[in-house]
Amino acid sequence: MQNKTHSSSSQNTDIPSAPVAKKVPYEMTHHDHKRVDNYYWMRDDSRSDKEILAHLEAENAFTDTMLSHTEAEQNVLFEELKGRIVKDDSSVPVKKGNFFYTTEVSGDNEYPVYVRADNFDGENKLTLLDVNQLASEHEYYHLSGTSISPDANLLAYGEDTLSRRIYTLRIKDLTTDQLLKDELAGTSGQVVWQNDNKAFYYIKKDEQTLLEYQVYKHELGTDQSEDVLIYEETDLSFYTFLSKSKDDTEVYIWHYSTDCKAVSVLSADDANAVPELFYPREHGLEYSIEKHGDSYFVLTNHKATNFRLMTTNAAEKYDIDLWQDAVEPETDALLEDFELFENHLVYQKRKDGITSITVREITSGSEYQLPFEEQAFTAGMSGNIEMDAPAVRIYYSSLTTPASSYDFELTTGHSTLLKQQKVLGEFSPDNYQSERIMVTARDGKRVPVSLVYRKDSFKQDGTNPLYQYGYGSYGATIDPSFSRNWLSLLDRGFVCAIAHIRGSEMLGRPWYEDGKLLNKMNTFTDFIDVTMSLVEQKYCADDKVFAVGGSAGGLLMGAVVNMAPELYRGIASHVPFVDVVTTMLDESIPLTTNEYGEWGNPNEKVYYDYMLSYSPYDNITPQAYPHILVTTGLHDSQVQYFEPMKWVAKLRELKTDNNKLLFKTDMEAGHGGASGRFKALHDKALEYAFFFDLLK
């Protein structure tokens, strides 16, 4: 492929000057290696520094000016994206106890209404929460999920009005429709009730690092200062979560790090219960549990790289050698998930990147596999709350099939389509084609790629523009699923591709291990090799390639534009993690210590040197870069705003081209962008208009 610089296509004749950030040298020395960061001054944890805020506003104004000629197209795109959404809609009801719970949206409302009814058809419907009312006085609002008390009379929920993912818990009495006086600040937003309906467990977060590290018990009617500390996590490499067993008898405190997963158990019936580890935490050992009568099913990587499902009982749980296999491990198939019912086990595997779901009658051992016919799809279990349910709820989607919910009867396998996402407008799945291909990477590994295009605009002749998406971290697998928004690309002749690069678990746990720590470079080279192969196979034109990623996918974008900028006409990098070395050396930055198992600890020289070899911020060089759109949120809790801010400033300083470099900060939002179901579409319209303009 030729090395080329794509010229700017701005229609403005008088191009304004981009904001130029001042340079204040800040020296950092580690392992006898000195780095100078001229933009370290951009960090302000209080987010109140007037000079920093003014610079962000100047960047926003510059972006608005540079894209002012696309405003009409942005508006058209926004209405187009919004116009595919059914305004009056509801989720599939989920049964819990005596009621069926669902959410409803209507009209131009941004937020859902939480309701429950006596049956699946919605009789005797009761409104639990109208999130539109709760959000009405806030620029940003996020509800953390709801938790119903065992007697179904109380509803706990968390509110975040800043987008830092720190929630204030509130309790609503559903019999009076009034809030209790209880108000708990600084939490993760999770609540798990004791079975006496008088108390619940929740997690407090560290306000600086944002780590969930303390589990408290709260008695209704008491002040938060009186809450009892139940558990405190002292190892800062662990996340802490809460849940309840499916039979409602136990409360689980989950301990998750990158290479160790464990759980502590409390009785939900004992008000004085103290947590007890189900099995000791061991480096490299991961397990999760679910109770089934007097036994436990345990999903674990014990002597099983791709995991196995085992069973044990309370008396033998501490002796792992006594555990028995329920689903044996396989070297070429990843055991991903399982769900228990009174008489059935349902388990999910992934082999060669393809998901399978199997239903087993526990007593007899007889089993059958659920049928999925497409070559590239997403399938999983969702909404299976009750142990005595007669069917397993399955979510299904593909690149051409909108999100669908099915109930599969456990005893017969008979399926019922409960709902398929409606797409308004002229959408017909028959107009589109999906493919799954394998691309050979530079080291010989075969990388799966999911593709979709509109049949009447694709001839595989090397003329189509390409929209290539990737992530590739934390073992997160981006399955091929339907995107209403992508229709705006496909209908304009784009081919859309998901590169299932190393760092995900698309091809099992080894695929993840081969894209983390000292193997991280494989993530970036896989993405580049996929691009080159798609061009070579004429899925796209070599001068019409656009790439997109967010968060750790933003790191991916930063790395590939340093390594192979000539391949891409335009890049969109959202909330990007780009200042890897500096961030991972600073334990005061949220989530840093939890990430050591993913990226490595740069206090160790081997990891410092390796991170330094790919960190996007540290590897900017005087060269031509593609057109780049960068977005962030001032209150981002996962990737702090100053990472992309610094990255843009340094790119502006060193890049040798005249291509567009635009930086947009949502001054009210965080990592997930704008709240509400329509507001976020403005961001997507901006990205698409940016790309479309580059093709003119």
Side-chain angles (χ1 to χ4, degrees):
M1 181 174 296
Q2 288 184 325
N3 189 309
K4 52 187 172 295
T5 300
H6 303 293
S7 62
S8 173
S9 62
S10 172
Q11 297 175 8
N12 296 334
T13 56
D14 298 320
I15 299 177
S17 297
V20 176
K22 70 179 183 181
K23 295 167 65 174
V24 182
Y26 181 86
E27 291 189 3
M28 296 173 285
T29 302
H30 297 88
H31 309 293
D32 297 322
H33 176 260
K34 184 175 77 172
R35 291 181 299 140
V36 177
D37 185 351
N38 291 322
Y39 304 106
Y40 189 88
W41 65 269
M42 291 178 167
R43 175 179 176 178
D44 172 33
D45 291 349
S46 71
R47 289 157 172 78
S48 61
D49 185 287
K50 292 182 179 179
E51 183 178 8
I52 292 173
L53 295 176
H55 189 83
L56 291 173
E57 294 287 8
E59 287 281 8
N60 283 349
F62 176 70
T63 296
D64 291 342
T65 299
M66 291 296 290
L67 293 180
S68 61
H69 63 283
T70 71
E71 284 183 6
E73 186 167 27
Q74 288 184 53
N75 291 332
V76 168
L77 283 164
F78 173 77
E79 294 300 331
E80 184 178 302
L81 296 169
K82 184 178 178 182
R84 297 193 187 101
I85 298 174
V86 177
K87 290 189 174 183
D88 300 331
D89 203 0
S90 62
S91 62
V92 178
V94 174
K95 187 175 184 294
K96 175 66 176 176
N98 296 323
F99 299 102
F100 288 78
Y101 294 85
T102 189
T103 58
E104 298 177 345
V105 290
S106 60
D108 289 325
N109 286 338
E110 292 279 359
Y111 301 96
V113 176
Y114 285 74
V115 300
R116 76 179 181 196
D118 289 345
N119 56 34
F120 189 90
D121 297 324
E123 292 183 3
N124 298 322
K125 188 163 55 177
L126 173 70
T127 296
L128 306 179
L129 287 176
D130 185 340
V131 185
N132 299 285
Q133 293 179 3
L134 298 174
S136 61
E137 297 181 0
H138 305 282
E139 287 293 327
Y140 177 90
Y141 187 90
H142 186 260
L143 191 78
S144 69
T146 57
S147 181
I148 299 286
S149 62
D151 63 8
N153 290 331
L154 299 171
L155 170 66
Y157 63 95
E159 295 180 311
D160 174 15
T161 59
L162 188 62
S163 191
R164 291 290 283 170
R165 300 188 182 182
I166 299 178
Y167 295 87
T168 298
L169 292 172
R170 305 187 191 280
I171 314 299
K172 184 176 183 180
D173 188 332
L174 300 178
T175 65
T176 65
D177 202 37
Q178 299 296 313
L179 288 176
L180 303 185
K181 68 176 184 178
D182 304 69
E183 185 175 306
L184 285 66
T187 82
S188 69
Q190 269 191 300
V191 163
V192 174
W193 290 89
Q194 283 185 181
N195 286 341
D196 61 6
N197 305 289
K198 297 178 180 179
F200 57 77
Y201 300 96
Y202 70 95
I203 300 175
K204 286 200 73 173
K205 300 185 77 166
D206 184 289
E207 292 188 3
Q208 174 66 31
T209 66
L210 303 185
L211 289 176
E212 301 98 343
Y213 75 112
Q214 292 177 321
V215 179
Y216 280 89
K217 183 178 74 172
H218 176 74
E219 297 280 350
L220 292 177
T222 65
D223 189 80
Q224 186 177 8
S225 62
E226 301 176 38
D227 292 351
V228 178
L229 180 64
I230 299 297
Y231 174 83
E232 180 167 3
E233 181 57 70
T234 58
D235 186 336
L236 299 184
S237 67
F238 278 82
Y239 293 100
T240 306
F241 306 100
L242 292 172
S243 71
K244 203 171 189 180
S245 62
K246 198 169 181 177
D247 66 2
D248 290 326
T249 64
E250 294 180 339
V251 175
Y252 297 146
I253 302 174
W254 299 96
H255 318 291
Y256 273 33
S257 73
T258 303
D259 52 14
C260 176
K261 293 179 174 60
V263 61
S264 294
V265 181
L266 302 91
S267 169
D269 296 312
D270 182 359
N272 299 311
V274 295
E276 177 184 336
L277 268 173
F278 180 85
Y279 186 83
R281 291 185 350 189
E282 295 180 3
H283 178 75
L285 177 66
E286 301 179 31
Y287 72 85
S288 61
I289 66 172
E290 187 58 78
K291 190 169 176 288
H292 189 264
D294 295 328
S295 299
Y296 292 90
F297 281 70
V298 187
L299 180 63
T300 179
N301 67 342
H302 172 60
K303 297 181 180 180
T305 300
N306 275 323
F307 287 76
R308 68 205 306 167
L309 187 63
M310 309 187 79
T311 59
T312 186
N313 55 45
E316 297 177 340
K317 66 180 183 179
Y318 291 122
D319 189 345
I320 201 168
D321 292 330
L322 297 179
W323 297 5
Q324 300 294 314
D325 272 325
V327 179
E328 295 182 351
E330 298 182 47
T331 57
D332 60 350
L334 175 67
L335 182 59
E336 293 185 306
D337 195 12
F338 73 100
E339 195 71 63
L340 289 171
F341 299 88
E342 284 189 343
N343 300 311
H344 291 84
L345 161 68
V346 185
Y347 60 92
Q348 179 174 320
K349 286 187 175 183
R350 185 187 298 274
K351 184 175 183 178
D352 296 328
I354 305 299
T355 296
S356 66
I357 298 178
T358 303
V359 179
R360 176 189 296 176
E361 205 281 321
I362 293 176
T363 303
S364 68
S366 62
E367 58 183 40
Y368 61 90
Q369 192 168 300
L370 301 185
F372 303 121
E373 297 180 356
E374 296 182 88
Q375 61 171 306
F377 60 89
T378 301
M381 296 172 278
S382 176
N384 296 287
I385 294 178
E386 298 208 309
M387 193 75 77
D388 61 354
V392 58
R393 180 77 50 87
I394 299 294
Y395 169 90
Y396 180 88
S397 178
S398 77
L399 292 171
T400 58
T401 304
S404 308
S405 290
Y406 291 87
D407 269 357
F408 282 84
E409 293 179 13
L410 292 166
T411 55
T412 66
H414 178 267
S415 65
T416 301
L417 175 62
L418 302 175
K419 182 174 183 175
Q420 185 172 89
Q421 178 191 61
K422 291 183 179 179
V423 181
L424 300 183
E426 300 178 355
F427 169 74
S428 170
D430 295 335
N431 292 332
Y432 305 91
Q433 179 67 46
S434 67
E435 292 185 32
R436 183 176 185 272
I437 65 172
M438 302 295 286
V439 166
T440 302
R442 62 193 65 185
D443 64 354
K445 294 293 179 68
R446 304 263 289 165
V447 182
V449 182
S450 298
L451 297 155
V452 62
Y453 47 81
R454 187 175 172 108
K455 295 176 183 177
D456 59 11
S457 63
F458 178 71
K459 298 179 181 179
Q460 201 164 342
D461 59 358
T463 61
N464 290 81
L466 174 71
Y467 183 96
Q468 182 176 326
Y469 174 79
Y471 188 72
S473 293
Y474 305 107
T477 300
I478 310 299
D479 276 310
S481 60
F482 186 78
S483 169
R484 284 181 302 214
N485 294 339
W486 277 12
L487 295 176
S488 292
L489 297 166
L490 301 175
D491 291 347
R492 288 170 173 82
F494 273 75
V495 174
C496 291
I498 305 171
H500 304 293
I501 50 186
R502 276 173 277 189
S504 75
E505 289 186 339
M506 175 57 78
L507 297 183
R509 178 52 69 98
W511 199 244
Y512 171 39
E513 300 293 340
D514 208 18
K516 62 185 278 199
L517 297 173
L518 299 177
N519 295 318
K520 190 63 202 170
M521 196 67 76
N522 290 331
T523 300
F524 315 133
T525 55
D526 280 358
F527 192 88
I528 292 168
D529 292 345
V530 166
T531 301
M532 296 176 68
S533 179
L534 292 177
V535 170
E536 184 179 325
Q537 296 184 62
K538 298 188 180 302
Y539 278 98
C540 60
D542 65 356
D543 61 346
K544 298 179 182 178
V545 179
F546 301 89
V548 182
S551 194
L555 162 66
L556 171 67
M557 294 299 101
V560 301
V561 295
N562 282 334
M563 297 167 64
E566 74 282 357
L567 296 181
Y568 304 96
R569 186 163 192 153
I571 294 285
S573 185
H574 304 300
V575 293
F577 172 44
V578 284
D579 192 12
V580 181
V581 179
T582 302
T583 291
M584 293 305 298
L585 281 166
D586 191 341
E587 295 185 7
S588 71
I589 293 178
L591 311 183
T592 290
T593 54
N594 292 100
E595 304 285 302
Y596 287 159
E598 181 72 22
W599 316 103
N601 183 346
N603 292 298
E604 300 176 34
K605 189 175 186 302
V606 63
Y607 291 112
Y608 176 88
D609 290 342
Y610 191 76
M611 286 180 187
L612 199 60
S613 73
Y614 68 77
S615 173
Y617 184 67
D618 293 288
N619 286 280
I620 297 171
T621 60
Q623 64 175 339
Y625 283 85
H627 301 276
I628 301 175
L629 172 66
V630 183
T631 65
T632 192
L634 179 63
H635 301 285
D636 197 323
S637 60
Q638 311 302 106
V639 179
Q640 308 304 298
Y641 76 89
F642 46 82
E643 289 203 36
M645 186 181 183
K646 291 166 55 176
W647 184 47
V648 168
K650 190 172 180 181
L651 278 169
R652 282 235 172 85
E653 175 191 352
L654 295 178
K655 75 189 191 79
T656 60
D657 57 84
N658 293 318
N659 290 336
K660 293 176 183 174
L661 173 57
L662 305 181
F663 181 35
K664 185 83 169 179
T665 302
D666 189 325
M667 305 301 282
E668 304 295 337
H671 198 64
S675 60
R677 61 176 177 149
F678 298 129
K679 287 181 182 178
L681 297 179
H682 287 290
D683 298 330
K684 189 56 63 178
L686 176 73
E687 177 196 288
Y688 289 179
F690 174 71
F691 286 162
F692 297 163
D693 185 52
L694 297 177
L695 290 173
K696 294 176 182 177

